[in-house]
């Protein structure tokens, strides 16, 4: 393209990682012309996130993406064990918890989301870098440098999904307060671990010495650091090791196998038998940033994912947080582009998601503290371990890590049903599931009790809201039993009817979230 060739787009997303791609999918599924700009000409090969943890697993099932990710056709199942600050959470007899986990390397997740974006007609331009961004009350103007030269795009809205160093965030003057913890060195990469330490297909390790047997996906804290791992394939493992008290290092997207091996052995106090796999990749980080954007929106520009928040990777919170940012913003931005968004709708992206980001940063900092060396921390861990034998404490932490403690303000008047503002459960519904009904990415009015009066009241919104009646077989007797629920496209309940409740609350919710008719 010649310099200052000008294009017009509805939405431009800067950043082609998982958060940017899922935002693009949400917009495209709603019929919005969407362009993704990615600075890198090819996908990054350095290992990043290694899986999905928490509510996001269900959220992707509600979009029909979980089957692609898992390679199977069954709904996700909560994990029986997890870790909080390298302390074991035994969830095996905790009914109804929402702590899901699905191993998948970030690069593979990006491939699957890019595949879906292509199916929906999203254009992804690799090797195209935003060099400047300006906006006024009517549009956002982005200057771009691509392989064919410089050009300009004028868009109705822009989304920064461009990482912790976000040029978009900087261009619109949004601060990124927080702190950098440089008290430890973090190394990660893929290795082959040999038998008999590698015990088989379940991925557990039986390490010589005092460490002993450790469970797949767990973290092990010692007085010199912390070791965590997950099995990628039988014998092949992704490992991460944090060390305290080491000389500072420069962050880089490569770490030698010998350096990684030596760090693992120092932390574990044992010689772990391992070798380097073909094409092994790794990285080293000398510090961890913990920061939250001062705001998630500036005019017509929005931030998602690491552009809005960065935190320690302990507990795997990053993709859970960022991908749900995308799901929260996508349908709201699509409504604004279509011209039927209530005036306050785009403001609710920040009011809903920023407190969640703050909450995640808090628990990631707490977990990092629990990993630290020292006898005082060891004593604290002992007390915490005793607390975690209490089911109420375990459920509290399970909800915290998964995001199940999230409840949005749905702006209703008067008393609200307990489901309102919370995640919509994946009920079995006469041969189908809520997750299947949600895959169109549209609001859903679900009639659970033959309430024709409620379905009739919602008829003026029929071009936006899908109404489903006659779903006999939904067992809600032990979950507060609403007559009907109105579910937003991101999976959260905008309104739920107590038995016998009239249509006033439903009409108010429809006007608040979908069109003020």
């Amino acid at each position: 393209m010649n310099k200052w060739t000008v294009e017009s787009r509805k939405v431009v997303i800067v950043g082609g990682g998982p958060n940017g791609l899922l935002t693009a999918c949400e917009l495209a599924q709603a019929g919005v012309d969407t362009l993704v700009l990615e600075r890198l000409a090819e996908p990054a090969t350095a290992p990043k996130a290694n899986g999905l943890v928490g509510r996001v697993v269900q959220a992707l099932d509600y979009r029909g993406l979980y089957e692609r990710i898992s390679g199977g056709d069954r709904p996700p199942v909560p994990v029986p064990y997890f870790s909080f600050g390298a302390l074991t959470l035994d969830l095996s007899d905790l009914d109804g918890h929402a702590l899901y986990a699905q191993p998948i390397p970030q690069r593979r997740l990006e491939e699957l989301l890019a595949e879906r974006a292509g199916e929906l007609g999203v254009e992804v331009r690799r090797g195209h870098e935003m060099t400047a961004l300006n906006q006024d009350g009517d549009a956002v103007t982005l200057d771009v440098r691509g392989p064919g030269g410089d050009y300009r795009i004028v868009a109705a809205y822009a989304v920064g999904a461009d990482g912790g160093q976000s040029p978009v965030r900087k261009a619109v003057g949004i601060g990124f307060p927080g702190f950098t913890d440089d008290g430890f060195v973090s190394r990660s990469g893929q290795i082959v671990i040999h038998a008999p330490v590698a015990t088989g297909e379940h991925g557990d390790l039986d390490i010589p010495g005092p460490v002993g047997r450790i469970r797949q996906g767990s973290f092990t804290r010692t007085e010199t650091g912390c070791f965590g791992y997950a099995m990628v394939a039988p014998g092949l493992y992704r490992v991460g090791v944090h060390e305290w008290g080491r000389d500072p290092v420069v962050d880089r997207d490569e770490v030698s196998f010998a350096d990684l091996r030596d760090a693992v052995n120092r932390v574990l106090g044992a010689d772990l038998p391992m070798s380097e796999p073909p094409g092994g990749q790794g990285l080293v980080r000398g510090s961890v940033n913990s920061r939250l954007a001062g705001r998630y929106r500036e005019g017509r520009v929005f931030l998602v994912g690491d552009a809005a928040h960065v935190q320690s990777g302990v507990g795997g919170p990053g993709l859970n947080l960022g991908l749900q940012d995308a799901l929260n913003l996508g349908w709201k931005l699509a409504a604004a582009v279509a011209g039927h968004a209530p005036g306050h709708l785009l403001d609710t992206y920040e009011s809903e998601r920023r407190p969640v980001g703050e909450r995640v940063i808090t628990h990631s900092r707490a977990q990092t503290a629990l990993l630290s060396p020292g006898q005082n921390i060891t004593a604290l861990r002992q007390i915490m371990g005793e607390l975690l034998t209490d089911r109420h404490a375990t459920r509290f932490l399970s909800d915290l890590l998964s995001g199940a403690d999230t409840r949005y303000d749905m702006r209703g008047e008067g008393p609200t049903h307990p489901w309102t503002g919370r995640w919509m459960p994946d009920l079995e519904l006469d041969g189908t599931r809520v997750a299947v009904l949600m895959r169109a990415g549209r609001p859903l009015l679900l009639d659970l009790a033959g309430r024709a009066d409620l379905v009739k009241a919602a008829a003026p919104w029929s071009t936006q809201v899908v109404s489903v009646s006659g779903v006999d077989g939904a067992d809600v007797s032990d979950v507060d039993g609403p007559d009907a629920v109105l579910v937003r496209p991101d999976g959260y309940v905008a309104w739920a009817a107590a038995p016998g409740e009239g249509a006033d609350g439903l009409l108010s919710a429809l006007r608040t979230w979908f069109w003020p008719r």
Side-chain angles (χ1 to χ4, degrees), residues 66-67 119 141 171 194 203 261 301 406 416 479 514:
Y66 176 73
E67 292 179 0
E119 293 169 359
T141 301
H194 305 287
R261 178 196 60 210
V301 179
T406 298
T416 59
V479 282
F514 305 121

Side-chain angles (χ1 to χ4, degrees), residues 354-421:
R354 192 173 183 278
V356 178
E358 191 169 21
R359 183 77 164 152
V360 169
I361 285 175
T362 296
H363 79 62
S364 69
R365 287 174 176 171
Q367 292 188 78
T368 301
L370 283 168
L371 298 179
S372 303
Q375 292 303 310
N376 289 341
I377 298 298
T378 299
L380 175 62
R381 291 174 58 83
Q382 180 177 338
I383 298 299
M384 282 289 296
E386 293 172 10
L387 286 173
L388 292 184
T389 62
D390 182 273
R391 288 173 56 85
H392 296 289
T394 301
R395 183 171 292 279
F396 174 86
L397 289 179
S398 169
D399 288 351
L400 176 68
L401 293 172
S402 67
D405 59 353
T406 298
R407 186 176 190 179
Y408 296 140
D409 177 6
M410 291 300 172
R411 300 172 178 241
E413 297 180 1
T416 59
H417 190 276
W419 283 25
T420 302

Side-chain angles (χ1 to χ4, degrees), residues 120-405:
L120 293 168
V122 174
E123 182 182 0
V124 179
R125 294 181 185 169
R126 286 199 162 273
H128 291 249
E129 181 178 7
M130 185 202 80
T131 57
L133 182 150
N134 295 282
Q135 64 173 318
D136 56 28
D138 299 317
V140 183
T141 301
L142 302 96
D143 294 344
V144 184
R145 180 178 297 121
D150 295 345
Y151 61 100
R152 178 167 287 169
I153 304 173
V154 178
Y157 296 96
V159 177
D162 48 348
Q165 298 297 323
S166 179
V168 170
R169 187 187 65 240
K170 295 173 181 178
V172 296
I174 296 177
F176 206 37
F179 74 93
T180 299
D181 184 351
D182 57 4
F184 59 90
V185 175
S186 175
R187 297 176 176 88
S188 61
Q190 286 194 175
I191 61 174
V192 174
I193 302 178
H194 305 287
V197 170
T199 61
E201 63 181 13
H202 297 297
D204 291 358
L205 300 179
D206 196 358
I207 298 176
V211 174
R213 194 178 186 95
I214 55 178
R215 184 178 291 112
Q216 145 81 352
S218 66
F219 291 86
T220 301
R221 181 255 189 191
T222 70
E223 286 299 336
T224 58
C226 180
F227 169 78
Y229 79 100
M231 186 173 71
V232 178
L236 183 63
Y237 294 80
R238 168 78 183 276
V239 300
V241 58
H242 303 322
E243 284 189 280
W244 279 263
R246 306 298 298 179
D247 291 337
V249 300
V250 176
D251 291 1
R252 61 186 187 275
D253 287 340
E254 59 180 60
V255 58
S256 72
F257 171 75
D259 195 15
L260 179 61
R261 178 196 60 210
D262 292 347
V264 169
N265 290 344
R266 284 193 300 267
V267 167
L268 291 177
D271 186 8
L272 189 65
M274 66 176 81
S275 59
E276 185 174 12
Q281 296 287 337
L283 56 82
V284 59
R285 293 288 181 260
S287 60
V288 171
N289 278 313
S290 182
R291 300 181 182 276
L292 182 67
R295 54 192 183 279
Y296 281 20
R297 176 189 185 185
E298 180 61 33
R300 291 176 169 268
V301 179
F302 299 82
L303 305 176
V304 300
D306 287 358
H309 42 73
V310 293
Q311 62 285 314
S312 164
V314 177
L319 289 174
N320 188 22
L321 185 57
L323 293 174
Q324 287 201 79
D325 289 346
L327 292 167
N328 187 287
L329 177 63
W331 69 272
K332 297 173 182 177
L333 200 51
V337 170
H340 54 66
H344 70 282
L345 186 63
L346 291 180
D347 290 333
T348 66
Y349 170 61
E350 178 180 320
S351 66
E352 291 181 350
R353 293 305 296 167
R354 192 173 183 278
V356 178
E358 191 169 21
R359 183 77 164 152
V360 169
I361 285 175
T362 296
H363 79 62
S364 69
R365 287 174 176 171
Q367 292 188 78
T368 301
L370 283 168
L371 298 179
S372 303
Q375 292 303 310
N376 289 341
I377 298 298
T378 299
L380 175 62
R381 291 174 58 83
Q382 180 177 338
I383 298 299
M384 282 289 296
E386 293 172 10
L387 286 173
L388 292 184
T389 62
D390 182 273
R391 288 173 56 85
H392 296 289
T394 301
R395 183 171 292 279
F396 174 86
L397 289 179
S398 169
D399 288 351
L400 176 68
L401 293 172
S402 67
D405 59 353

Side-chain angles (χ1 to χ4, degrees), residues 52-91:
L52 302 166
V53 175
R55 184 69 81 192
V56 68
V57 177
Q58 281 186 300
L60 293 177
D61 185 33
Y62 282 30
R63 280 298 178 276
L65 293 168
Y66 176 73
E67 292 179 0
R68 300 188 187 208
I69 292 167
S70 68
D73 58 1
R74 295 185 178 182
V77 177
V79 295
Y81 297 93
F82 204 69
S83 175
F84 182 83
L87 293 165
T88 298
L89 292 179
D90 184 350
L91 309 170

